Amino acid sequence: MNVDGLKGKTIAFAASGGLDSCTITRWLTDAGVNVVCVTADLAQPDEKDLQAVGKRMLACGASEWVLVPLRDAIAEAGLEAIRAQACYEGPYWNTTAIARHVTVRGVIGEMRKRGIKILSHGATGRGNDQVRFQLVTNMLAPEFEVYAPWRDEAFLQRFGGRSQMIDFCQERKLPITATKQAPYSTDANLLGLTHEAGRLESLHTPAFFINPGMGCLPAEAPDKPEEVSVRFVKGRPVAINGTQVDGLQALLTANRLGGRHAVGIATHVVENRFVGVKSRGVYEAPGMELLGTCYGLLLQLILDRRAREFFDQVALFLARQIYQGYWFDLASQMAGQAVARVADLVSGTVTVSLYKGGISFVSAAEVPHTLYSEENASMEAVGSFNHADSEGFLRVLAVSARALAAAGQIPPK
Amino acid sequence: MNVDGLKGKTIAFAASGGLDSCTITRWLTDAGVNVVCVTADLAQPDEKDLQAVGKRMLACGASEWVLVPLRDAIAEAGLEAIRAQACYEGPYWNTTAIARHVTVRGVIGEMRKRGIKILSHGATGRGNDQVRFQLVTNMLAPEFEVYAPWRDEAFLQRFGGRSQMIDFCQERKLPITATKQAPYSTDANLLGLTHEAGRLESLHTPAFFINPGMGCLPAEAPDKPEEVSVRFVKGRPVAINGTQVDGLQALLTANRLGGRHAVGIATHVVENRFVGVKSRGVYEAPGMELLGTCYGLLLQLILDRRAREFFDQVALFLARQIYQGYWFDLASQMAGQAVARVADLVSGTVTVSLYKGGISFVSAAEVPHTLYSEENASMEAVGSFNHADSEGFLRVLAVSARALAAAGQIPPK
Amino acid sequence: MNVDGLKGKTIAFAASGGLDSCTITRWLTDAGVNVVCVTADLAQPDEKDLQAVGKRMLACGASEWVLVPLRDAIAEAGLEAIRAQACYEGPYWNTTAIARHVTVRGVIGEMRKRGIKILSHGATGRGNDQVRFQLVTNMLAPEFEVYAPWRDEAFLQRFGGRSQMIDFCQERKLPITATKQAPYSTDANLLGLTHEAGRLESLHTPAFFINPGMGCLPAEAPDKPEEVSVRFVKGRPVAINGTQVDGLQALLTANRLGGRHAVGIATHVVENRFVGVKSRGVYEAPGMELLGTCYGLLLQLILDRRAREFFDQVALFLARQIYQGYWFDLASQMAGQAVARVADLVSGTVTVSLYKGGISFVSAAEVPHTLYSEENASMEAVGSFNHADSEGFLRVLAVSARALAAAGQIPPK
Amino acid sequence: MNVDGLKGKTIAFAASGGLDSCTITRWLTDAGVNVVCVTADLAQPDEKDLQAVGKRMLACGASEWVLVPLRDAIAEAGLEAIRAQACYEGPYWNTTAIARHVTVRGVIGEMRKRGIKILSHGATGRGNDQVRFQLVTNMLAPEFEVYAPWRDEAFLQRFGGRSQMIDFCQERKLPITATKQAPYSTDANLLGLTHEAGRLESLHTPAFFINPGMGCLPAEAPDKPEEVSVRFVKGRPVAINGTQVDGLQALLTANRLGGRHAVGIATHVVENRFVGVKSRGVYEAPGMELLGTCYGLLLQLILDRRAREFFDQVALFLARQIYQGYWFDLASQMAGQAVARVADLVSGTVTVSLYKGGISFVSAAEVPHTLYSEENASMEAVGSFNHADSEGFLRVLAVSARALAAAGQIPPK
């Protein structure tokens, strides 16, 4: 699909309002395409005035600007990922990946209302976002087409990178806010903020120069710890520090509390993109990290050895699925069902202490499905556990252990 | 196996030198058993004077005291676990579990020299250590027997817990150091120190009262970050801050540097013991955490998506195996071979910054097997990655995504 | 728990009606225990006259005999295992394991009606069944106790094995049917029949001497193939050869059709028992194999690559869980939810041909959720797949493949 | 990459000698490309006279024809897959996938000798083989380019499918052997033969019309079973029926014996291609199935529960890796190391009986690392297993099972 084929047609363009959005909207309009810009309200912390985005897109040539209200949707999706403990390749809470799923689903809804069947986006041809735009669209609206200027030779030949776009916009007096000197680029939503590209691409450069958008670096955090309690009911946070919250409020509050103490800043992420290249980023996700850690602490009380083993597999699997844009496929549905069964049992109040980026356990209370028993944990002779039974237990284990030795399966040490 | 059957026989007792060691040694001696006490030198940070342990054990009735030099062995085992990134159920570096494997192997060597065939230990009948003592002995010396007083009815009826043992020892004027008021018990070796039991058993009690033995709590750490560089060659740390180190020195140095900055203190561990009950502990492992994190950062550069996926499975599996006492069985050997193939590729220098319990990435250099390429990572049009190729890539992915939709496998959202 | 502690109490004994049942019932009665024998009607193919079992148990001293109707329950459980494709260590459909879960659940219900709180069974101290009896009871009725004569020293000293039991029964003129010459022992229910022990214990002995109870050996099967069609709706077999069936009828019919053609006889099973020893068995499960294979053929049409990968993990996991007696725990519930999501999509008619133990695919029809598309499968230029797109697809894959080589991760061949 | 860019250059073309090979060679030659045809000797059962292939390719315009002797290489690769039990999505032994890896590696060697840097092949743009050609080349010779006519628009516009190629060849009087009526296409090598496409694409068509190339269908097999014994030493078959064999002879002999009895014909394979579409095939692999089954029987004796669990994961993983063309990447190297550790232990003689497509276990002997012990397997009171120990074993398991119930994790049944 290329721009020539779009002349005279109406497309929806998923516009964040940044440099790419402005450039692409104008360039398409110049080429005779009717562009409806759709912006998702994801409670993005870096864009307080979404109406200004609308004005900007209309100034760039959009025939219409649509704001899709997705604050609750992104919150719910974030909580779902927390329930799955779905961190990708270590500390990344998949914040951008989740947002893409939510956004595309929301944009498709607006397109259907208007009879538009071509979705366009400004994601580049090397990243993960293009994959998520594509797959989510193909799964939820298989009759739609996706047009990505960054994979269109005509666009690529016109725009090699950032500076040519800035020149293009400035020549046309478009109301862009970007400057050529930006040290890196960011993407943000309720769940998190990512810093990528630019100076961050060199592994010789520490990330301390970045400017956190949802909190601060540990060295800038208060010198006094702060305690936070989170109450969950059936897998949902329902109160923070005793105040009732809905899903959106839970994340907003957790972002504020966590961000203040530098919680959830991952400065060392090098990860495998779906397209097979490695990239480096600095990720902020204070609320996900705070709520996710509290949730994880409850799981430590609730999951027995077997459930834990299976859960860990599911979490790793689902994290990859979400990252790669497959959150809606059958495999994710299967994994999601498994996660939901556990979530049903996750109720209780966890109190933690936040300090300089760290989260320490303080206490847990009212956890009806806990397996933790002070009596059974004790090494002393109390509770339902009879020390002497272990003799038989171990003699049974001994039979197979000795059999390994007798069979010559243990090499000499 | 019970004490009656041991009368007149010679056994080896794995003695740490604590209250259990003293009590059991004397109780067995009184029962007519000839007890050879064997103590492992694991560079335990809480026991500087191992000769004093020897004197104590002889005073308690041991016919001989043997010190097994296992400092290098425990260091090598720790590095192996780091290479496998083998953390159990989250943040626990398996420090005690590793030590048991190393100790039992060492003790068996001493027993063979002396023709002793019964190994005794003071691990309780509810914990994991009894399992590790048993399994390692059965695998490495299947002809040996294991005798555990804490699973012997005669012993259990005599000693219900800590206070009776203290009374027993005091009545006999044995040189114990324990007091009845100990708020919890600890176990330590080069790799880490665990705090368990006592006041820690209540989940309503924050762990901040514990007295760290290998470092400090975050709030007590210096207000200035400190940079540390670690150089690995083929999976081994060979230099820290530019100074050559062998395995043992690497862990000793990392313990000192990490401990100073409160690195590797896990205050919130509730875990599933092998015997099926949950226990709570506070774990310190400053050196493992520091070296293990640096190693992990190199893995982020080296493992591609598929290798990462497989590695994650192996790491989870091996962590369970080590925790449960199965480090020497065939399954662990298989997993170990997979880990070793990766370790071969892990060379490079990583610099991190330590601050208030946190470890931040500073830079990486000289990583010959890195897959990270600034050019390919870039979203700009450089490197070997052609943006337009992604069009075909995504069109291929689209076929299967649309097929899912066409087959009715995506429920309406 | 031992027999002395049971004197004067009422217990429920899970009685199959065989030699063990008779011996134990009488031995307990002699010891002053009030024994209520409970027999499960599992549509066992080797026991046509269950009323006769009742008479036998009463003759052996039981104070009451209860028949629990579990034909539908065992059928439903079998279908659940088919949906999970839960075969243990290769070809074993877990037929006995499933039956234990169903039986214990049924027996517990009868016990609750009568206020009995001690469940006894005749499973030996080396097998898997004792584990299943124990775990299911502990999970579903944690307040109950389990008493197993084969783990009671008093019983073990009285009865070393089969011959002593036969002598005991003959001396007391109990109506046993067993003879000392039995070449092996069997266990049977609607889902399958297992042959174990006796002459089968030697790996030098081919299994061809066994006498199949649910069908025949391949060499005895008809010389003409027979076609069978099975229609599934949402994971359930609803018609066989065009005749409507419920769950129980599905298995009965499939047993008959499959058994006639030697389908589902596994002669070469050596497996790992939960207690850590290996055992050998010959397993018959004609209906499970026939229905399970047809179900698997539908899965081949429905599961995409990712769903398949996840499903395979779940199947392996659930098979181990069922085998080990953990079908009711949280981990199994999680896995079961994942399986159920898939089952919802499994509708369609599969026709296969049965011949000499083999099952060959004939055709599939009316599979609404199939991903198989003749057009897309074709190598010719038809369907939604554009050959040229693969060029971009492969160029994207090439970037990471070459990066592996450039990083020195591919050893020279 | 397209044909215009190749004019005047020398390329290597991997030629099987079939219709595609002839067409492409001539079409490229006509376009001014210097084509060196390279044919792999993989002991392919459907092509007895490889010299005739050479003559044909030269007649089609090739400037040179090279035969690469890869019989031993394919045999060794097949044995490696057997050791990994690497069957893809059920019964497919990856025979074509393995051959592609071996072929490309062999062809690259010949190209290096001649200084050729462009590899061309006739695999279509929808299949898996193009992926394997690409990935193996990129990993083993990252400096090479791959040219695939079936992804070149110029070629695709000239040739829509089979009939146009036949017309093209007939017009030019090229010595093709293909006819327009071929009911399906085949691919064969020492390890197996696949039937795909054509009439097989309809799931309404039973596969019984195919003409097996390496054996027969079950109904055509002898009415008398035949016993076969295979002796393995350290994971390698070293003797069949008492006659010493090397790797190649092992597979040739096993193909002959297995094929005669219809062993290893999988008629019902619908599988997920890497590119995301499903395809259907009929696969023959008599020797792989026979040797692989015998190997699996030894594994049943050797792998304990934990090793088995890990092995099953590795086998599934490696099967996917091989299928998808990743046999040489780091992930496969890791998995391969795990498999090799097990292979070291796999020695012994297995005897099986072949009959009408089925393989039945007869006996096993001289298996030094077996864990199977007649004494321990026995339910009677012999061997090292003390029945009474199970009481303690189960009481320990009971603690966690009851805890699940007490925590409300077991829903009422």
Side-chain angles (χ1 to χ4, degrees), chain D residues 17-357:
Chain D
L19 177 60
D20 287 70
S21 298
C22 293
T23 309
I24 291 169
T25 299
R26 176 60 183 261
W27 183 76
L28 285 172
T29 306
D30 286 357
V33 186
N34 181 35
V35 181
V36 173
C37 283
V38 187
T39 299
D41 180 358
L42 301 166
Q44 42 270 66
D46 60 346
E47 193 67 84
K48 302 298 179 199
D49 184 4
L50 288 173
Q51 293 303 324
V53 170
K55 283 181 199 146
R56 227 180 296 151
M57 299 324 300
L58 292 169
C60 291
S63 67
E64 183 188 357
W65 178 71
V66 185
L67 183 67
V68 203
L70 295 171
R71 292 174 159 245
D72 288 315
I74 185 87
E76 290 308 313
L79 296 181
E80 218 173 313
I82 283 172
R83 285 190 286 265
Q85 300 275 296
C87 290
Y88 181 71
E89 291 192 350
Y92 176 40
W93 274 104
N94 262 321
T95 56
T96 298
I98 297 168
R100 292 300 169 257
H101 287 87
V102 170
T103 298
V104 178
R105 192 168 56 182
V107 171
I108 286 171
E110 297 298 324
M111 292 171 69
R112 287 216 159 114
K113 286 185 204 160
R114 288 162 180 78
I116 305 174
K117 298 210 159 181
I118 301 166
L119 189 158
S120 183
H121 62 79
T124 77
R126 272 182 198 201
N128 295 304
D129 282 334
Q130 59 170 348
V131 181
R132 298 159 186 156
F133 271 111
Q134 187 81 32
L135 292 174
V136 178
T137 307
N138 292 154
M139 286 186 208
L140 299 187
E143 72 281 16
F144 282 19
E145 295 294 330
V146 175
Y147 169 66
W150 282 112
R151 301 194 308 254
D152 181 348
E153 275 304 334
F155 188 83
L156 285 168
Q157 275 166 21
R158 178 67 183 82
F159 301 100
R162 186 170 181 79
S163 8
Q164 284 133 311
M165 289 197 284
I166 293 180
D167 291 344
F168 174 87
C169 291
Q170 286 176 341
E171 284 163 20
R172 280 156 192 79
K173 303 198 193 307
L174 303 186
I176 58 167
T177 56
T179 62
K180 288 188 190 177
Q181 285 75 33
Y184 53 78
S185 70
T186 58
D187 178 81
N189 62 67
L190 171 69
L191 307 180
L193 190 152
T194 63
H195 309 250
E196 273 191 323
R199 284 180 57 198
L200 283 167
E201 280 167 9
S202 163
L203 296 187
H204 304 290
T205 310
F208 306 121
F209 70 89
I210 63 124
N211 190 16
M214 299 179 76
C216 60
L217 290 170
E220 301 154 357
D223 288 329
K224 281 191 63 159
E226 178 175 6
E227 290 199 359
V228 177
S229 77
V230 184
R231 171 151 185 72
F232 290 88
V233 172
K234 296 203 171 198
R236 293 185 63 84
V238 296
I240 297 184
N241 288 336
T243 304
Q244 301 283 319
V245 287
D246 63 16
L248 177 58
Q249 290 163 337
L251 277 153
L252 289 168
T253 307
N255 276 339
R256 186 169 45 79
L257 295 171
R260 182 149 79 201
H261 291 281
V263 160
I265 286 208
T267 53
H268 47 79
V269 183
V270 171
E271 80 200 10
N272 288 298
R273 281 192 207 143
F274 186 47
V275 293
V277 298
K278 286 196 176 282
S279 64
R280 183 219 187 164
V282 172
Y283 293 156
E284 299 178 62
M288 294 281 283
E289 181 76 11
L290 173 49
L291 297 177
T293 299
C294 291
Y295 195 88
L297 290 167
L298 284 177
L299 289 179
Q300 285 185 298
L301 302 180
I302 291 165
L303 298 178
D304 72 321
R305 186 146 60 84
R306 290 163 176 267
R308 175 87 207 197
E309 180 181 335
F310 189 66
F311 189 92
D312 284 348
Q313 303 264 19
V314 172
L316 281 175
F317 181 77
L318 210 38
R320 290 197 299 266
Q321 291 279 108
I322 297 174
Y323 184 84
Q324 297 177 2
Y326 284 92
W327 204 0
F328 295 134
D329 77 356
L330 180 56
S332 293
Q333 293 168 42
M334 291 170 70
Q337 289 292 313
V339 168
R341 172 63 193 113
V342 171
D344 244 22
L345 301 173
V346 181
S347 299
T349 301
V350 173
T351 304
V352 293
S353 169
L354 313 182
Y355 175 66
K356 299 280 188 187

Side-chain angles (χ1 to χ4, degrees), chain A residues 83-237:
Chain A
R83 285 190 285 268
Q85 300 275 296
C87 292
Y88 181 70
E89 293 194 350
Y92 176 41
W93 273 104
N94 262 322
T95 57
T96 297
I98 296 168
R100 292 300 170 258
H101 287 87
V102 171
T103 297
V104 178
R105 191 169 56 181
V107 171
I108 285 171
E110 297 298 324
M111 292 172 68
R112 288 216 160 113
K113 286 185 205 161
R114 289 163 179 78
I116 306 173
K117 298 211 158 178
I118 301 166
L119 189 158
S120 182
H121 62 79
T124 75
R126 277 185 194 196
N128 295 304
D129 283 333
Q130 58 171 349
V131 181
R132 298 160 186 156
F133 271 110
Q134 187 82 33
L135 292 174
V136 178
T137 307
N138 292 153
M139 287 185 207
L140 299 187
E143 73 281 16
F144 283 18
E145 293 295 329
V146 175
Y147 169 66
W150 283 111
R151 301 194 309 255
D152 181 346
E153 275 303 334
F155 187 84
L156 285 169
Q157 274 165 20
R158 178 65 182 83
F159 301 100
R162 190 170 178 77
S163 2
Q164 283 133 312
M165 289 197 285
I166 292 180
D167 291 344
F168 174 87
C169 291
Q170 286 177 341
E171 283 163 20
R172 280 153 193 78
K173 300 197 195 307
L174 303 185
I176 58 167
T177 54
T179 60
K180 289 189 189 177
Q181 286 75 33
Y184 53 78
S185 69
T186 59
D187 178 81
N189 63 68
L190 172 69
L191 308 180
L193 191 152
T194 63
H195 309 250
E196 274 191 323
R199 283 180 57 198
L200 283 168
E201 281 167 9
S202 163
L203 295 186
H204 303 292
T205 310
F208 306 120
F209 70 89
I210 62 123
N211 190 18
M214 298 180 78
C216 60
L217 291 171
E220 301 154 356
D223 287 328
K224 282 190 64 162
E226 179 174 5
E227 289 199 358
V228 177
S229 76
V230 184
R231 171 149 185 74
F232 291 87
V233 172
K234 296 203 172 199
R236 292 185 64 83

Side-chain angles (χ1 to χ4, degrees), chain C residues 287-334:
Chain C
M288 294 282 281
E289 180 76 11
L290 173 49
L291 297 177
T293 300
C294 291
Y295 196 88
L297 291 167
L298 284 176
L299 288 179
Q300 285 185 300
L301 301 179
I302 290 166
L303 298 178
D304 72 322
R305 187 145 60 83
R306 288 163 178 268
R308 174 90 209 193
E309 181 180 333
F310 189 66
F311 188 92
D312 284 348
Q313 304 264 19
V314 173
L316 280 175
F317 182 77
L318 211 37
R320 288 197 300 266
Q321 290 280 108
I322 297 173
Y323 185 84
Q324 297 177 2
Y326 284 92
W327 203 2
F328 295 134
D329 77 357
L330 179 56
S332 293
Q333 293 169 42
M334 292 170 69

Side-chain angles (χ1 to χ4, degrees), chain C residues 15 55 137 239 391:
Chain C
K55 284 181 199 147
T137 307
E391 184 70 20

Side-chain angles (χ1 to χ4, degrees), chain D residues 337-393:
Chain D
Q337 289 292 313
V339 168
R341 172 63 193 113
V342 171
D344 244 22
L345 301 173
V346 181
S347 299
T349 301
V350 173
T351 304
V352 293
S353 169
L354 313 182
Y355 175 66
K356 299 280 188 187
I359 303 179
S360 304
F361 173 74
V362 172
S363 66
E366 294 170 83
V367 188
H369 300 293
T370 184
L371 294 176
Y372 183 80
S373 145
E374 282 188 41
E375 294 203 335
N376 281 337
S378 175
M379 296 295 184
E380 308 265 327
V382 292
S384 63
F385 203 111
N386 183 340
H387 285 48
D389 290 336
S390 294
E391 185 69 22
F393 181 75

Side-chain angles (χ1 to χ4, degrees), chain B residues 305-348:
Chain B
R305 187 145 61 84
R306 289 162 178 267
R308 174 90 207 194
E309 182 181 333
F310 188 65
F311 188 92
D312 285 348
Q313 304 262 22
V314 173
L316 281 175
F317 181 77
L318 210 37
R320 288 196 301 266
Q321 291 279 107
I322 296 174
Y323 185 84
Q324 297 177 1
Y326 284 92
W327 204 0
F328 295 133
D329 77 356
L330 180 56
S332 294
Q333 293 169 41
M334 291 170 71
Q337 288 293 312
V339 168
R341 173 62 194 114
V342 170
D344 244 21
L345 300 173
V346 181
S347 299

Side-chain angles (χ1 to χ4, degrees), chain C residues 122-317:
Chain C
T124 75
R126 277 182 196 199
N128 296 303
D129 283 334
Q130 59 170 349
V131 181
R132 298 159 188 156
F133 271 110
Q134 186 83 31
L135 292 175
V136 177
T137 307
N138 292 153
M139 287 186 208
L140 300 187
E143 73 281 16
F144 282 20
E145 294 295 328
V146 175
Y147 169 65
W150 283 112
R151 301 194 306 257
D152 181 347
E153 276 303 334
F155 187 84
L156 285 169
Q157 274 166 20
R158 177 69 182 81
F159 301 100
R162 191 171 179 78
S163 2
Q164 284 133 311
M165 290 196 285
I166 293 180
D167 291 343
F168 174 88
C169 292
Q170 286 177 342
E171 285 162 19
R172 282 155 191 76
K173 301 197 194 307
L174 304 184
I176 57 167
T177 56
T179 59
K180 290 189 189 176
Q181 286 75 35
Y184 51 80
S185 69
T186 60
D187 178 82
N189 62 68
L190 172 69
L191 307 180
L193 191 152
T194 62
H195 309 250
E196 274 190 322
R199 281 181 58 199
L200 283 167
E201 280 167 8
S202 162
L203 296 186
H204 304 291
T205 311
F208 306 122
F209 70 91
I210 63 124
N211 188 18
M214 299 179 76
C216 60
L217 291 171
E220 301 154 356
D223 287 328
K224 283 191 63 162
E226 177 173 8
E227 289 199 359
V228 177
S229 77
V230 184
R231 172 149 185 74
F232 290 88
V233 172
K234 296 204 173 198
R236 289 186 66 83
V238 297
I240 297 184
N241 288 336
T243 303
Q244 300 284 319
V245 287
D246 63 16
L248 176 59
Q249 291 164 336
L251 277 153
L252 288 168
T253 307
N255 277 338
R256 186 170 44 81
L257 295 171
R260 182 149 80 201
H261 291 281
V263 159
I265 286 209
T267 52
H268 46 80
V269 183
V270 171
E271 81 200 10
N272 288 298
R273 282 193 207 143
F274 186 46
V275 293
V277 299
K278 288 196 174 281
S279 63
R280 184 216 186 166
V282 171
Y283 292 157
E284 299 179 62
M288 294 282 281
E289 180 76 11
L290 173 49
L291 297 177
T293 300
C294 291
Y295 196 88
L297 291 167
L298 284 176
L299 288 179
Q300 285 185 300
L301 301 179
I302 290 166
L303 298 178
D304 72 322
R305 187 145 60 83
R306 288 163 178 268
R308 174 90 209 193
E309 181 180 333
F310 189 66
F311 188 92
D312 284 348
Q313 304 264 19
V314 173
L316 280 175
F317 182 77

